Amino acid sequence: MDNNTSTVYATSLYGDLFYDAFKASAVGIALENLEGRPLFVNPALCSMLGFTEEEMRSKQCVDFSPQEDAAKDWALFQKLREGSISSYQIDKRFFRRDRSLVWGRLSISLLQNGTSRFVVAMVEDITEQRKAEEALQLLTEQMALSVEFETLLSDLSRTFISLREDDVDVNIERGLARVGRFLQMDRITLFEFTPARTDLLAAYSWHTPEATPSPQSVATKKLRWWRARILSGETSVASQLEDLPEEASAEKEYLRERGITSIASIPLKVGGETNGAISFVTLHRRVSWTEELLNQLRVIGEIFWNALKRKRNMEALHAAQAIVHESEQRFRLVANTVPVMIWMAAIDKRCTYFNQGWVDFTGRSTDTESGSDWTEGIHPDDLQRSFETYTGAFGRREPFQIEYRRRRHDGEYRWVFDQGVSRFNGDGSFAGYIGSAIDVTERKLAEEALSTVSQKLIQAQEEERTRLGRELHDDINQKLALLAISLERLGKDSSATASALRASLREASGHIGNIGLDIQALSHRLHSSKLELLGLTKAAGALCRDLSERHGVEIDFQSNNIPTPPQEVSLCLFRVLQEALQNAVKHSGSRKIQVVLQRKGLEIELTVHDSGIGFELEQALAGQGLGLTSMRERLKLVNGELAIHSELQVGTTICARVRFGPRVRSVGATE
């Protein structure tokens, strides 16, 4: 064979080889002329966009993208034609045949073939990567928003801790304005019930310039559904007026007449009894009143409500002091009717009087309480601090405020906010102290619960970001580096035979496919497209198979007669299954896990069981993790229930149940 024949043979061989690679590549490739019109398109690009090769040849490159993306691409393409650049890369959106959009990373290079010039376009589908980046960005924004809101709550709490009575009004109004602007509300109103509990009076209100002011009073006689929910301590919410039940038709008409779109009404209590409510209103924007948001609104309501109660208490104290000068009997009458605990102490610091509210709280008679030490009944852990504050104020004749735990008549320690002021006789001599106390246990518990959930949320978000970063860096990035090294080595190996090149390209193609599968698995953990496309049963089965293959454990998945539930129910059960399986794989030590998804009467039941090491349920719920808490809270949103049974060295069973309506369709077993 002479040299010319060898050259022709080699050219033909390598031409066939690269054409096969062009056809088999998992990355979309097109050969275009300098007008941007495709001449050859490989199957991967056709599959990605849903067009045939013939259809794609009839279009120009700018026809495949929205105008904004196409303009950026064409500007770079013009520079390529002019010779100012030889290649470029851009991330842009591409139209599929059905006009849906996918994200692609477009790499363009100029190809010189003798006197002819062509353009090689390579398109990598990065839709899932973009979704992962957007999900990570959303987590970051949510965490920042949560921290900002926690700061706002902390500022409000500090503002009202030692506020003078004269400053309460202006600071409540300022606080309502800060909260309203932060939450993008149009009006916030703090209501108090009248003594007869028939009407609600607007104690404080804030509204945007475009919103009308809150009415000074609301007659609840016609708004029976709303009034009943407030008095029973139940929150009333509506993202849109159509969400209200039939029995709330009067409320719906009332709100519609006032141009309200979304509303949330939070009951406010004093000593366990509802005495008012705080309402949050928007005129144009629909608000999703999540449980997390409602918990935050409850804490906001407690902060303002306690400030208002403190003002009312001080007003009561001032009234009581005036009455003492006029008539002891009249003072006792007033003191016993206000919804606070009132006490009086002589100059020796021993108490001489307690009102009926105090007696009802402690369960001890007036005679037994009189002459006692003010510190009796205080929790041992709070005793020293409370005593020092009390005696120090006595010595300086100064007002004092303090929070501590005091034992109630049933033996339970309750958080109490107590404040006292010095009193003087008609001749100006020091007569002792008079003070009032209110039960603030509900506020303390709400603040602690919100703080705990916020801390767990921030920690869970950081752990998820760390896990995503580790997977992208330690797994996918390493694989891409190894693939790049292999391809570079292949390009430098001029002595390789055609069969060796084909084998190396097949191996590289396999690596690219595996990387794609890894990215797809990472994306599915953030958002399962299979759940939307295939439904709950098939998505759950696919999840079990995926975890089984990745972690080398046996997961026995069974399903039978499962209805087709609403999307929010499917997503809830799927997320519960994800969390339960992740916990079992990570912590149980069991190599076999059983998953059963079945219909029981009017309920869908999901059960996940392992025979691992088990755990103490109370310790797990009190720990730093958010898994069990998130499962329970998710199920609450769809009126579901979560049951957890775990025994050390025996195993753990997690059972989630959700009731479904009569319109839900039923499908047969699929796994």
Side-chain angles (χ1 to χ4, degrees):
M1 180 181 299
D2 57 25
N3 290 336
N4 291 335
T5 305
S6 298
T7 301
V8 171
Y9 175 79
T11 302
S12 175
L13 175 62
Y14 284 111
D16 292 341
L17 176 61
F18 283 108
Y19 183 77
D20 291 341
F22 171 84
K23 288 292 187 180
S25 174
V27 176
I29 305 175
L31 185 66
E32 302 174 355
N33 60 22
L34 291 182
E35 300 303 320
R37 189 173 299 279
L39 303 176
F40 299 96
V41 184
N42 76 337
L45 186 55
C46 292
S47 175
M48 175 180 170
L49 302 184
F51 294 101
T52 65
E53 184 176 5
E54 182 178 353
E55 289 172 333
M56 296 190 69
R57 287 175 179 168
S58 65
K59 298 177 179 292
Q60 195 178 18
C61 60
V62 294
D63 297 333
F64 295 102
S65 295
Q67 184 176 359
E68 179 183 358
D69 295 10
K72 294 178 181 178
D73 184 12
W74 188 247
L76 292 171
F77 195 91
Q78 290 296 98
K79 291 183 178 181
L80 190 79
R81 294 175 58 183
E82 295 166 1
S84 58
I85 59 175
S86 60
S87 64
Y88 66 87
Q89 187 179 81
I90 183 175
D91 290 353
K92 56 179 284 189
R93 295 166 295 175
F94 288 85
F95 284 123
R96 288 181 52 82
R97 185 189 186 92
D98 58 4
R99 302 302 290 176
S100 63
L101 291 171
V102 295
W103 275 97
R105 179 159 293 151
L106 174 65
S107 299
I108 295 291
S109 300
L110 190 63
L111 179 65
Q112 186 78 32
N113 184 15
T115 59
S116 301
R117 293 198 302 168
F118 303 93
V119 174
V120 177
M122 302 182 68
V123 183
E124 178 187 0
D125 189 342
I126 60 170
T127 303
E128 299 302 328
Q129 176 185 333
R130 294 289 294 217
K131 288 182 179 178
E133 291 172 352
E134 291 170 0
L136 185 60
Q137 178 65 24
L138 180 60
L139 281 175
T140 303
E141 293 173 355
Q142 289 175 341
M143 185 174 69
L145 191 63
S146 177
V147 171
E148 186 179 356
F149 191 76
E150 284 293 323
T151 303
L152 172 60
L153 291 182
S154 178
D155 290 344
L156 290 176
S157 296
R158 285 197 301 268
T159 298
F160 291 107
I161 284 177
S162 57
L163 197 64
R164 294 187 309 130
E165 178 191 354
D166 294 340
D167 297 329
V168 169
D169 290 345
V170 65
N171 278 279
I172 287 183
E173 291 169 357
R174 289 174 181 171
L176 289 175
R178 286 185 65 188
V179 172
R181 286 191 289 268
F182 183 87
L183 296 179
Q184 298 180 352
M185 297 293 159
D186 291 305
R187 186 168 63 236
I188 304 176
T189 307
L190 192 65
F191 290 104
E192 286 183 288
F193 266 117
T194 57
R197 303 169 76 80
T198 56
D199 297 335
L200 283 167
L201 303 179
Y204 299 93
S205 183
W206 166 88
H207 61 88
T208 59
E210 66 200 60
T212 57
S214 173
Q216 291 300 308
S217 66
V218 177
T220 61
K221 185 179 297 185
K222 294 182 179 180
L223 307 176
R224 297 180 180 178
W225 177 83
W226 182 41
R227 178 176 181 272
R229 289 187 67 86
I230 294 176
L231 292 177
S232 63
E234 295 179 272
T235 300
S236 304
V237 300
S239 295
Q240 54 185 348
L241 299 187
E242 287 71 23
D243 294 342
L244 292 171
E246 292 183 4
E247 56 267 34
S249 57
E251 286 79 0
K252 189 183 301 184
E253 185 62 26
Y254 178 89
L255 297 173
R256 182 177 290 111
E257 289 175 354
R258 286 153 181 79
I260 293 173
T261 295
S262 291
I263 183 171
S265 177
I266 312 293
L268 301 171
K269 298 181 179 181
V270 174
E273 183 179 19
T274 302
N275 291 88
I278 184 170
S279 69
F280 301 81
V281 164
T282 62
L283 302 182
H284 308 294
R285 185 174 64 92
R286 289 185 182 179
V287 180
S288 177
W289 305 103
T290 64
E291 190 60 32
E292 179 185 0
L293 176 58
L294 291 176
N295 285 334
Q296 293 171 339
L297 299 184
R298 292 185 184 101
V299 174
I300 290 171
E302 287 293 333
I303 291 173
F304 291 124
W305 191 238
N306 281 311
L308 176 59
K309 287 190 294 183
R310 190 176 304 170
K311 179 186 177 185
R312 296 288 186 257
N313 291 342
M314 291 305 299
E315 291 172 351
L317 281 176
H318 293 161
Q321 285 179 315
I323 293 174
V324 164
H325 290 297
E326 297 177 5
S327 169
E328 182 70 14
Q329 185 60 38
R330 292 172 65 184
F331 162 76
R332 292 179 182 272
L333 178 62
V334 171
N336 288 333
T337 56
V338 295
V340 295
M341 297 178 282
I342 297 179
W343 54 270
M344 293 177 63
I347 58 176
D348 62 356
K349 303 181 182 66
R350 302 189 71 83
C351 295
T352 58
Y353 168 77
F354 296 94
N355 76 335
Q356 190 61 42
W358 187 286
V359 171
D360 292 342
F361 182 88
T362 62
R364 307 203 309 171
S365 66
T366 304
D367 293 337
T368 303
E369 289 283 344
S370 296
S372 65
D373 189 347
W374 176 83
T375 60
E376 285 187 17
I378 294 180
H379 194 282
D381 293 344
D382 304 333
L383 183 58
Q384 183 66 28
R385 174 175 53 85
S386 302
F387 179 77
E388 291 175 355
T389 302
Y390 180 73
T391 56
F394 252 86
R396 297 185 298 271
R397 309 292 193 260
E398 294 178 350
F400 71 88
Q401 296 178 342
I402 188 170
E403 285 188 356
Y404 57 86
R405 287 163 290 181
R406 183 176 286 276
R407 187 174 58 248
R408 199 169 58 181
H409 59 83
D410 58 1
E412 179 185 355
Y413 281 97
R414 305 281 292 179
W415 278 100
V416 171
F417 174 79
D418 203 338
Q419 57 185 350
V421 295
S422 54
R423 58 190 182 90
F424 299 88
N425 296 315
D427 59 1
S429 61
F430 178 61
Y433 265 67
I434 182 170
S436 68
I438 56 174
D439 187 339
V440 295
T441 304
E442 285 82 6
R443 173 180 59 86
K444 296 286 287 188
L445 293 176
E447 289 177 348
E448 291 172 2
L450 180 60
S451 176
T452 299
V453 171
S454 296
Q455 291 172 9
K456 288 184 177 181
L457 175 61
I458 292 173
Q459 182 178 355
Q461 290 171 338
E462 287 297 332
E463 290 176 353
E464 181 67 9
R465 293 176 68 186
T466 300
R467 184 185 65 77
L468 287 172
R470 187 182 299 116
E471 287 202 32
L472 289 171
H473 180 272
D474 294 347
D475 185 15
I476 296 174
N477 191 50
Q478 295 298 329
K479 290 180 179 179
L480 286 172
L482 289 174
L483 179 60
I485 292 172
S486 298
L487 291 175
E488 182 179 1
R489 186 180 302 160
L490 180 62
K492 293 180 179 180
D493 189 359
S494 59
S495 62
T497 64
S499 60
L501 286 173
R502 282 194 292 271
S504 297
L505 287 173
R506 282 195 298 271
E507 182 180 355
S509 178
H511 288 323
I512 293 173
N514 290 334
I515 292 171
L517 291 175
D518 289 341
I519 295 175
Q520 184 182 48
L522 181 61
S523 173
H524 285 175
R525 267 175 276 167
L526 295 172
H527 174 75
S528 175
S529 57
K530 291 182 180 179
L531 181 64
E532 297 178 356
L533 297 174
L534 304 178
L536 176 59
T537 302
K538 290 187 177 180
L543 174 64
C544 292
R545 289 192 297 273
D546 178 55
L547 287 177
S548 177
E549 294 172 359
R550 285 196 291 112
H551 296 282
V553 297
E554 180 182 349
I555 301 179
D556 179 17
F557 175 69
Q558 300 178 14
S559 66
N560 183 35
N561 196 28
I562 303 303
T564 301
Q567 181 64 25
E568 62 271 17
V569 174
S570 295
L571 180 59
C572 172
L573 291 174
F574 186 79
R575 292 302 189 203
V576 170
L577 176 60
Q578 273 186 315
E579 186 67 38
L581 286 177
Q582 290 286 0
N583 287 344
V585 170
K586 185 176 181 181
H587 301 295
S588 72
S590 176
R591 307 308 299 171
K592 183 174 182 180
I593 303 171
Q594 295 177 326
V595 178
V596 179
L597 185 63
Q598 60 183 335
R599 172 177 182 168
K600 282 192 173 182
L602 293 178
E603 291 183 334
I604 302 176
E605 181 181 272
L606 170 66
T607 304
V608 180
H609 172 76
D610 67 73
S611 302
I613 60 175
F615 57 86
E616 293 288 349
L617 182 57
E618 292 185 0
Q619 293 181 5
L621 290 174
Q624 295 299 314
L626 198 62
L628 297 179
T629 302
S630 67
M631 285 192 281
R632 184 162 286 163
E633 292 303 317
R634 280 184 181 278
L635 285 163
K636 283 183 181 179
L637 293 176
V638 293
N639 297 319
E641 297 178 352
L642 180 70
I644 305 172
H645 177 74
S646 186
E647 189 173 347
L648 293 177
Q649 305 307 322
V650 175
T652 301
T653 301
I654 293 179
C655 183
R657 298 186 184 89
V658 179
R659 190 177 181 86
F660 58 88
R663 291 181 294 176
V664 175
R665 295 183 293 106
S666 214
V667 296
T670 58
E671 297 289 336

